[in-house]
Amino acid sequence: MIRLEGVTKRYPSMERPAVDDVTFEVPAGEITALIGPSGSGKSTTLRMVNRLIEPDEGSIYVGVDEIHDIKAEDLRRRIGYAIQGVGLFPHWTVFQNIGCVPWLLHWDKPRIAARVRELLDLVGLDAAEYSAKYPSQLSGGEAQRVGVARALAADPPVLLMDEPFGAVDPLTRERLQSEFLAIQHKLRKTVLFVTHDLDEAIRVADRIALMRDGALMQHDCVERVIAYPANEFVREFVGTERALKRLSLAHVAEEMGPPGRAAATEGRVPDGATLRTALAVMLEHGERAASVIAEDGSVVGSVTIDDILAHFERPLS
Amino acid sequence: MKRLTLIDFTGPIIALVVYVGLTMADRPWVALATRIFPNEGRYIYQNASTTTLVWQQFAMVALSSSMAVLIGVSLGLFVTHRAGADFYDVVSSLSNLSQTFPPIAVFTLTVPILGFGFEPTVLALTLYGILPVLRNTIAGIESVSPTQIESARGMGMRPYQVLLRVELPLAASVILAGVRISVVVGVATATIGAVAGAGGLGAPIISGLINDDPPVTLHGAILATYMALLFDAFIGRFEKAFAFSSPGARA
Ligand SMILES: Nc1ncnc2c1ncn2[C@@H]1O[C@H](COP(=O)(O)OP(=O)(O)O)[C@@H](O)[C@H]1O
Ligand SMILES: [Mg+2]
């Protein structure tokens, strides 16, 4: 768990605080996306959690500890940190880069070696092939994977990520996002994830904390931020495709009805797809319903345009 | 980091052996000089053996350069970190003087203050040698990407670990280039030290100039140039071992 209480940071060069009385909590095992326009104070907020920046006011808790009760370096060794541009050390091999925090924690050599192998496996890189490589021999996507492995090295319960997939092409980014989600399903870390990309936040996060000019505008689960923007700024930030974004958060399996209703239609959607995909399939076939199929190809249900409309009418809890 | 082995130094070591040979045997100089200047009388600087001259030259450069590196690197590290940030401006503009300050002027300025002899010369060379080391230390530390420093701190390295494990290795090739320039310029400047009575290979150079005796000047000049090239080659090998490029270069 990460909790910020009334956290404020002022820079002498700025008139308003860079971070202004921010309070929110990242529940254990969940991902919170810290989102907002450039300069809104996201990175400053994140860096206060591992004391790379000291707040002027407020308290921050990681687990049960107030972070200022712990020596800064010891705190940081307990928190995974991954940043845009990765910051791998070019004079160290992939092995040394990933083994950095365990080395700082004085693990013995066999334990570090076993851990590095395990982590390369986890992020989908072949340990035998990649261990001895230098960062200059990696592609952008591979470097990001090594960056994530390095952040996870000492198995910290808490992870701070600052636009970790910001520096790669859109296709690689999407793949890294889903790989990261798969890892998160296994490991259940408490993650504070900075991004300026709403679609990325929707894809990876459980909750959104939206900032503007240092102040927290809204903090809620992703669906609610999109369905019920707290103010005009959030509404604008979410954008005109708000409805489609809502659809992309709802899954076909949750909304479908009995198969019969789509008997006369051609459109097919997998049961794991989102309502957004279902709508796209209906539009493509010019139909008002589509069959839902399981992985083996059998028809398990149907979804109609009325289901989709009903989805919007149902209030979120 | 590339591990240096003895093999990397094969070339410089062979050159060094040849140099020692040339120093020990005065004879080849006479033979060479007789061929080039058949009508001259004195081919060898008579006041001291070549070995002594080379040794004096080496001692001046080694002493002044080690002190210059020690001071230049420490001062450079000091002003590029929080503790010394207040001194950054004055020190960095001072270090840029080295580009405009001619070596000959060093002794014109220092002899009246420091006096004649070996030690004052070493002191003058040290002061002059600090500048390129200082300038490159500042440039080297500033060339380390902030992302790498941030991730080093973010992972929980203590400040000394960030310095020793990340900043210094990454800045090393630039710092060593400064050391190389400082030492090579030091060898050249040290020959002028003969004017201040410090001995070394400058002695035959100046003696030859004064007595209109080119072979004697050449004797000193060749050995001094050769020494500078040797230092250049050895330090250059270390410099290359610290050349790194950043991730994604392949992508
Ligand atoms: N070290 C600093 N000194 C002065 N101002 C800073 C510093 N770091 C950030 N700022 C300012 O604080 C504000 C918030 O910055 P940041 O947290 O990096 O925003 P974000 O990550 O949301 O883009 C910006 O206006 C930025 O210019
Ligand atoms: Mg930022």
Side-chain angles (χ1 to χ4, degrees):
Chain A
M1 189 242 356
I2 304 169
R3 194 165 82 245
L4 289 84
E5 282 176 8
V7 173
T8 296
K9 175 69 191 179
R10 292 184 192 85
Y11 289 116
S13 55
M14 280 174 69
E15 265 179 41
R16 58 164 178 88
V19 174
D20 193 358
D21 192 19
V22 164
T23 300
F24 70 94
E25 178 175 326
V26 185
E30 281 193 10
I31 301 179
T32 292
L34 192 54
I35 188 168
S38 166
S40 55
K42 308 180 294 290
S43 298
T44 304
T45 305
L46 190 83
R47 286 180 195 149
M48 283 192 281
V49 176
N50 65 359
R51 294 187 59 187
L52 287 173
I53 297 174
E54 294 294 350
D56 294 312
E57 286 163 37
S59 346
I60 301 173
Y61 297 85
V62 169
V64 293
D65 302 300
E66 211 292 322
I67 56 171
H68 295 90
D69 296 339
I70 310 168
K71 203 167 167 183
E73 287 90 4
D74 295 331
L75 174 79
R76 292 178 197 144
R77 291 172 194 180
R78 294 177 8 191
I79 299 178
Y81 191 50
I83 53 179
Q84 173 165 27
V86 199
L88 295 179
F89 303 137
H91 58 308
W92 285 8
T93 60
V94 166
F95 182 98
Q96 291 172 304
N97 268 288
I98 296 178
C100 182
V101 178
W103 167 74
L104 287 168
L105 291 169
H106 307 294
W107 289 17
D108 58 38
K109 275 189 188 153
R111 187 172 169 211
I112 295 178
R115 181 63 181 156
V116 171
R117 233 173 293 128
E118 190 184 350
L119 284 162
L120 279 170
D121 239 29
L122 185 72
V123 298
L125 296 174
D126 181 58
E129 186 187 340
Y130 283 90
S131 282
K133 284 198 179 187
Y134 282 89
S136 61
Q137 298 168 296
L138 303 176
S139 70
E142 289 163 346
Q144 301 280 354
R145 286 188 180 86
V146 173
V148 170
R150 180 171 71 169
L152 292 168
D155 201 16
V158 170
L159 220 53
L160 303 177
M161 308 180 98
D162 196 341
E163 311 205 14
F165 311 129
V168 291
D169 62 274
L171 254 159
T172 311
R173 186 180 317 146
E174 258 184 57
R175 205 166 61 235
L176 289 171
Q177 284 163 354
S178 45
E179 285 173 13
F180 174 66
L181 268 185
I183 292 173
Q184 169 66 0
H185 276 298
K186 264 187 259 179
L187 304 181
R188 292 277 162 218
K189 301 289 182 193
T190 305
V191 186
L192 186 55
F193 187 109
V194 166
T195 176
H196 62 260
D197 175 2
L198 183 64
D199 290 317
E200 178 165 78
I202 290 173
R203 203 166 300 133
V204 302
D206 302 296
R207 280 161 203 276
I208 283 180
L210 207 156
M211 291 183 76
R212 173 208 196 180
D213 295 344
L216 191 61
M217 294 282 105
Q218 187 168 7
H219 172 234
D220 212 331
C221 63
V222 180
E223 289 87 348
R224 291 180 56 87
V225 171
I226 292 169
Y228 311 124
N231 55 41
E232 203 43 47
F233 174 78
V234 180
R235 181 182 294 275
E236 244 173 62
F237 192 87
V238 173
T240 45
E241 292 186 4
R242 216 155 60 81
L244 288 178
K245 288 184 168 121
R246 263 187 90 174
L247 286 185
S248 66
L249 283 163
H251 290 271
V252 165
E254 296 152 17
E255 302 288 337
M256 67 184 182
R261 299 181 303 165
T265 63
E266 280 179 16
R268 302 249 176 298
V269 282
D271 57 359
T274 64
L275 285 187
R276 186 180 170 140
T277 310
L279 180 65
V281 168
M282 289 179 221
L283 291 174
E284 194 173 329
H285 290 87
E287 296 163 347
R288 305 178 64 86
S291 301
V292 180
I293 53 169
E295 232 167 282
D296 59 9
S298 62
V299 176
V300 293
S302 67
V303 59
T304 67
I305 199 95
D306 293 320
D307 294 341
I308 291 176
L309 289 173
H311 175 78
F312 282 101
E313 280 156 20
R314 205 170 324 121
L316 287 170
S317 50
Chain B
M1 187 183 129
K2 229 177 51 217
R3 287 251 172 269
L4 284 174
T5 61
L6 216 52
I7 295 175
D8 294 304
F9 291 95
T10 316
I13 286 173
I14 291 172
L16 177 63
V17 171
V18 173
Y19 189 75
V20 172
L22 281 177
T23 304
M24 311 273 275
D26 280 352
R27 288 281 121 206
W29 296 107
V30 179
L32 186 71
T34 313
R35 186 151 307 168
I36 306 176
F37 305 96
N39 301 321
E40 300 287 334
R42 285 168 68 234
Y43 298 124
I44 291 294
Y45 182 67
Q46 304 291 340
N47 301 352
S49 74
T50 308
T51 320
T52 309
L53 296 176
V54 166
W55 174 249
Q56 284 170 340
Q57 179 85 7
F58 177 79
M60 265 189 282
V61 173
L63 275 174
S64 61
S65 291
S66 359
M67 288 193 289
V69 168
L70 206 71
I71 298 168
V73 171
S74 316
L75 197 56
L77 293 181
F78 178 66
V79 300
T80 46
H81 290 82
R82 199 180 302 174
D86 291 345
F87 301 93
Y88 176 89
D89 288 334
V90 55
V91 169
S92 83
S93 41
L94 203 70
S95 77
N96 285 325
L97 275 181
S98 62
Q99 281 160 319
T100 55
F101 203 71
I104 319 235
V106 177
F107 293 101
T108 324
L109 289 177
T110 55
V111 166
I113 305 167
L114 302 172
F116 284 88
F118 184 80
E119 280 121 40
T121 304
V122 168
L123 191 55
L125 287 174
T126 303
L127 293 177
Y128 192 57
I130 290 172
L131 298 177
V133 178
L134 178 60
R135 181 158 41 91
N136 278 42
T137 302
I138 293 174
I141 292 294
E142 286 179 344
S143 74
V144 180
S145 108
T147 319
Q148 277 147 13
I149 295 177
E150 185 183 335
S151 67
R153 295 180 62 216
M155 280 187 293
M157 284 196 190
R158 304 204 191 280
Y160 78 90
Q161 290 170 319
V162 177
L163 180 67
L164 294 181
R165 300 287 176 169
V166 180
E167 291 181 283
L168 273 179
L170 292 178
S173 76
V174 178
I175 297 177
L176 282 169
V179 172
R180 192 165 48 81
I181 293 163
S182 169
V183 173
V184 169
V185 171
V187 175
T189 312
T191 59
I192 304 169
V195 179
L201 291 166
I205 293 177
I206 287 160
S207 160
L209 287 174
I210 292 170
N211 301 323
D212 195 18
D213 197 355
V216 172
T217 296
L218 266 184
H219 176 204
I222 289 172
L223 286 173
T225 310
Y226 197 154
M227 184 184 280
L229 291 174
L230 276 177
F231 274 116
D232 187 80
F234 274 100
I235 300 169
R237 289 297 187 284
F238 285 102
E239 213 176 302
K240 283 217 185 70
F242 283 101
F244 312 105
S245 49
S246 283
R250 207 199 67 181

